Amino acid sequence: MKIISNPLELKEYLKNNNKTVGFIPTMGALHEGHISLINRASEENELVVVSIFVNPTQFLKGEDLDNYPSREQADKKICSFAGVDVLFYPNADDIYTSDEVSVQAPNVRGYVLEGRSRPGHFSGVLTVVMKLLNIVSPTRAYFGKKDAQQLNLITLMVKQLFMSVEIVPVDTVREADGLALSSRNIYLNEYDRKEALKISASLHVCSRMVSKNILDTKEIIASMRETLYPLEIAYVEILNRNFEKIEQVEIGDSVILVEAIAGETRLLDNIWL
Ligand code: AMP
């Protein structure tokens, strides 16, 4: 596995390779969720590139940028073992200068749900993803459905800015008890981790109601909120795949999203029905 930190060196290395390239951007502290993205990219492409970069512009003041888990040696081993061809591991000053052009998240879709509690977060995400996609020029880029709003906004950016990359959504990987894997799960103590299970449990409540043909979103959201009690809820929403509010679940076109805070950790989860 080749490890490169300089963007121009990576561009040069990938130039004229005549191979399909699958790209997985990450912030490291890799887990089975990231590995499933890597595996999917390996199945569908001749060359697999992973980036590990804790992007400062997507963290708001007071968030966990300085404490974000870093496991450089373990991550390198995981990538190598998973068959990654190139690991891009830049520093912040390889990516940013002090005076920067940036991508602005859309005023509506970028500032609802997670964007409401983290205003500006998605501008940071879109800016770094734009930079990374321009550096790697992949055939396909892989993103987890777990970060559904991020996936939606990246898909929108690629479409609206006429970019030439296929965005591939990948299913959420969970622990055996239902908790969605996240690099931030290590912040949870035993009690908070137990409480956090209410998040996936609330999504189960929703799918059970839908399977009984209860489709009214207000009714479903009320039951989900009961299941989440006493967790602090940032939002529980049922949207269509365009991220617009709906009154009735439409099978095949609905996303059910939850963000709740366990201890001090914001946890996201969702299901696509
Ligand atoms: P992160 O390192 O948290 O920025 O995540 C990098 C990529 O992995 C993003 O596309 C995430 O959506 C994806 N990802 C994170 N957790 C999971 C999971 N549990 N299952 C599938 N993909 C995930």
Side-chain angles (χ1 to χ4, degrees):
M1 182 177 76
K2 180 105 180 146
I3 302 175
I4 298 178
S5 64
N6 183 288
L8 297 178
E9 189 186 332
L10 178 60
K11 257 178 115 74
E12 188 61 29
Y13 182 78
L14 293 171
K15 202 168 76 181
N16 304 327
N17 64 58
N18 277 330
K19 289 184 173 161
T20 52
V21 176
F23 176 45
I24 305 101
T26 80
M27 298 209 299
L30 302 180
H31 51 63
E32 290 292 333
H34 299 110
I35 294 171
S36 83
L37 270 62
I38 295 173
N39 290 342
R40 176 81 181 269
S42 305
E43 284 162 21
E44 297 177 353
N45 302 275
E46 293 160 297
L47 209 68
V48 174
V49 180
V50 168
S51 66
I52 296 182
F53 179 58
V54 181
N55 172 38
T57 64
Q58 72 188 67
F59 288 79
L60 273 64
K61 277 207 179 77
E63 289 189 345
D64 57 345
L65 172 63
D66 293 335
N67 299 323
Y68 196 82
S70 166
R71 302 222 201 89
E72 184 171 346
Q73 293 316 317
D75 285 351
K76 285 179 175 165
K77 277 194 196 136
I78 289 170
C79 286
S80 167
F81 196 68
V84 171
D85 298 292
V86 184
L87 174 59
F88 180 44
Y89 211 125
N91 293 307
D93 53 11
D94 292 312
I95 300 293
Y96 291 110
T97 61
S98 58
D99 190 21
E100 283 276 312
V101 173
S102 61
V103 181
Q104 174 63 49
N107 287 330
V108 178
R109 281 192 249 194
Y111 291 84
V112 293
L113 304 168
E114 194 183 358
R116 189 195 302 273
S117 41
R118 305 180 75 190
H121 165 70
F122 285 115
S123 297
V125 170
L126 294 180
T127 298
V128 81
V129 169
M130 170 66 93
K131 282 177 182 262
L132 293 169
L133 291 174
N134 286 338
I135 294 165
V136 177
S137 295
T139 319
R140 303 180 185 86
Y142 295 80
F143 292 90
K145 288 184 181 176
K146 175 174 169 285
D147 298 289
Q149 189 177 12
Q150 167 176 289
L151 171 62
N152 178 264
L153 291 169
I154 290 168
T155 307
L156 206 64
M157 173 174 80
V158 164
K159 186 172 170 216
Q160 293 183 347
L161 300 185
F162 302 100
M163 297 164 68
S164 304
V165 58
E166 181 189 341
I167 300 299
V168 183
V170 180
D171 287 341
T172 301
V173 178
R174 298 173 180 284
E175 305 271 14
D177 59 10
L179 185 69
L181 293 186
S182 162
S183 305
R184 289 192 167 100
N185 288 353
I186 57 156
Y187 297 152
L188 300 170
N189 63 28
E190 207 178 322
Y191 175 81
D192 295 335
R193 198 194 171 290
K194 234 184 217 159
E195 286 294 292
L197 288 178
K198 291 178 175 167
I199 298 172
S200 52
S202 75
L203 294 167
H204 276 296
V205 164
C206 172
S207 43
R208 265 203 309 274
M209 290 175 83
V210 170
S211 71
K212 288 181 188 155
N213 216 27
I214 302 167
L215 302 176
D216 181 80
T217 54
K218 277 205 188 100
E219 195 179 339
I220 296 171
I221 288 171
S223 298
M224 291 177 69
R225 283 182 166 274
E226 271 173 34
T227 307
L228 287 162
Y229 182 83
L231 280 179
E232 186 188 334
I233 298 170
Y235 57 80
V236 180
E237 288 283 7
I238 302 184
L239 306 175
N240 65 20
R241 298 277 164 93
N242 282 328
F243 273 60
E244 295 152 343
K245 283 203 187 197
I246 49 176
E247 286 178 10
Q248 297 275 311
V249 170
E250 268 184 55
I251 309 272
D253 190 39
S254 303
V255 193
I256 295 84
L257 303 112
V258 178
E259 181 181 327
I261 294 119
E264 300 202 332
T265 308
R266 286 182 176 277
L267 297 169
L268 304 178
D269 204 349
N270 62 75
I271 48 168
W272 302 36
L273 289 181

